Amino acid sequence: MKIHSGRAIDRRTLETFLTYACLQKESDIQAWIKYRYEPDTAFTAYEGEQLIGLMQCRMVPMQFGRHRVQAAQIVDAAVHPDFRQQAVFSHLLDQVMIWADANALCTLVLTNQPFLYRSHRFEPYGQTITYWLEKPDRPLYTCETRTNADIFSLYEYFISCFDGSIRLPKEAFTRQIHYQRGQIFVSRYDHEIDGAAFCHADEHTIQIEPAFYTDSSALMNLVGHAFEQRPAVSLTVGEDERIERFLTVKQARRKDTCLIHLNTASLFEPVFKQPIHHAEELKTLLKAPAWNYWI
């Protein structure tokens, strides 16, 4: 097995690999290739000429107070089913961490399988929670359904309420919107956008993930609009958003875990005036909760 970085993969090989490794629909595969695949920061594993593993990474800006730093993000990872349980993932992660340690202050990943990263000293940094909701009992103001909307300024306001978080530049934010697909619910108050929710619907249910909003009224308005479309609505948010304070919850369950690897403790000194060795130590120094769930 050989590990490569920055090696472009021809489209047919990539499509075949993703079909077997991820069991995705054709439309999902094409969207991933168009909006998530970045050859320069893709790490690949080959057995002979066969692609057997892929770990897609990227560099992202991360804000700590007034300081903006470079962080590495593991976007996605997959291993061909015929080569699982053969340390392919671990070998890929070894090479990714060598690259990340040389280029970034820390490394982040959002995953529903956090155990895969424990041996490489990743630590919990946050959690998403999916809530199944009751319909809000309140009048709604203007809300509309869109396939696209200029909501970058809303995102910037929303993310500025948090600390220790990735802040996507506009180009990366736009790519994320295109990759997300689905519908966007946009809430307006006095003609100004005050909320946006990314929604996927089936016959009976609308799933909202994520939502950006200026205040609780905007989020309640988005949820109320979703209930006008379907009888059941779920909302996935970060654990520190505490939406149960103003929305009635029927059921809640933990979903994905945000993990962080602090690449070099001494590099945190210019930001916090001290080295940082562990995620819990970092979180106690933040001026607000972190939000890293749309990455």
Side-chain angles (χ1 to χ4, degrees):
M1 177 174 54
K2 291 186 177 180
I3 306 295
H4 301 278
S5 63
R7 177 178 175 176
I9 310 168
D10 71 83
R11 193 177 189 92
R12 175 60 68 84
T13 298
L14 190 52
E15 289 173 345
T16 302
F17 170 78
L18 292 172
T19 299
Y20 281 101
C22 305
L23 300 176
Q24 292 181 322
K25 297 184 296 185
E26 177 66 19
S27 59
D28 294 334
I29 290 172
Q30 297 307 319
W32 191 92
I33 293 172
K34 185 173 183 179
Y35 298 117
R36 302 280 269 186
Y37 176 52
E38 299 179 27
D40 290 346
T41 51
F43 291 75
T44 52
Y46 283 83
E47 187 65 48
E49 296 299 314
Q50 184 180 0
L51 176 64
I52 63 171
L54 169 66
M55 192 168 287
Q56 179 65 63
C57 304
R58 65 176 176 178
M59 300 296 294
V60 288
M62 193 170 182
Q63 198 80 22
F64 290 99
R66 295 178 292 105
H67 299 270
R68 183 162 293 196
V69 303
Q70 283 290 95
Q73 179 202 344
I74 299 173
V75 178
D76 289 298
V79 174
H80 192 287
D82 292 345
F83 293 87
R84 289 172 186 164
Q85 307 300 319
Q86 297 182 38
V88 176
F89 181 92
S90 182
H91 285 304
L92 283 167
L93 190 53
D94 286 341
Q95 295 305 307
V96 165
M97 296 315 301
I98 292 171
W99 165 78
D101 285 348
N103 292 281
L105 184 71
C106 57
T107 307
L108 291 132
V109 62
L110 186 66
T111 178
N112 60 3
Q113 301 182 77
F115 63 90
L116 292 174
Y117 297 87
R118 286 178 187 152
S119 64
H120 287 73
R121 296 187 295 111
F122 278 80
E123 301 174 273
Y125 191 52
Q127 185 90 42
T128 60
I129 302 175
T130 296
Y131 294 93
W132 290 93
L133 303 172
E134 297 277 3
K135 185 175 181 178
D137 183 19
R138 52 162 286 153
L140 304 180
Y141 50 90
T142 305
C143 209
E144 58 196 38
T145 302
R146 305 279 294 275
T147 55
N148 58 71
D150 185 6
I151 56 171
F152 183 66
S153 59
L154 173 66
Y155 163 77
E156 284 194 308
Y157 171 81
F158 177 81
I159 205 68
S160 71
C161 299
F162 300 90
D163 194 13
S165 305
I166 291 174
R167 295 198 180 183
L168 296 176
K170 188 168 186 177
E171 181 181 355
F173 179 81
T174 302
R175 288 173 64 88
Q176 191 83 342
I177 287 178
H178 291 318
Y179 178 66
Q180 190 91 4
R181 294 170 292 160
Q183 296 178 324
I184 304 174
F185 293 168
V186 175
S187 170
R188 295 180 186 271
Y189 184 76
D190 197 21
H191 305 294
E192 295 292 328
I193 294 177
D194 66 352
F198 293 82
C199 305
H200 290 273
D202 58 26
E203 186 177 355
H204 302 291
T205 303
I206 284 183
Q207 298 174 328
I208 299 175
E209 183 181 5
F212 306 126
Y213 48 95
T214 58
D215 55 30
S216 59
S217 292
L219 182 58
M220 293 172 72
N221 194 48
L222 292 166
V223 170
H225 183 67
F227 271 108
E228 290 184 333
Q229 319 297 318
R230 298 290 191 278
V233 174
S234 72
L235 170 65
T236 299
V237 297
E239 61 185 349
D240 292 302
E241 292 179 68
R242 302 296 301 277
I243 61 105
E244 67 275 11
R245 293 175 299 176
F246 49 87
L247 287 169
T248 304
V249 175
K250 292 196 292 187
Q251 184 180 357
R253 66 176 178 84
R254 294 187 176 274
K255 189 183 178 190
D256 294 327
T257 301
C258 180
L259 301 173
I260 191 169
H261 179 279
L262 307 182
N263 296 344
T264 305
S266 61
L267 293 180
F268 284 87
E269 288 194 51
V271 179
F272 294 107
K273 311 304 181 188
Q274 66 183 73
I276 307 295
H277 297 89
H278 298 288
E280 285 302 319
E281 183 182 0
L282 172 62
K283 289 165 70 173
T284 63
L285 297 173
L286 298 179
K287 300 184 185 304
W291 195 95
N292 293 289
Y293 308 117
W294 199 54
I295 58 177

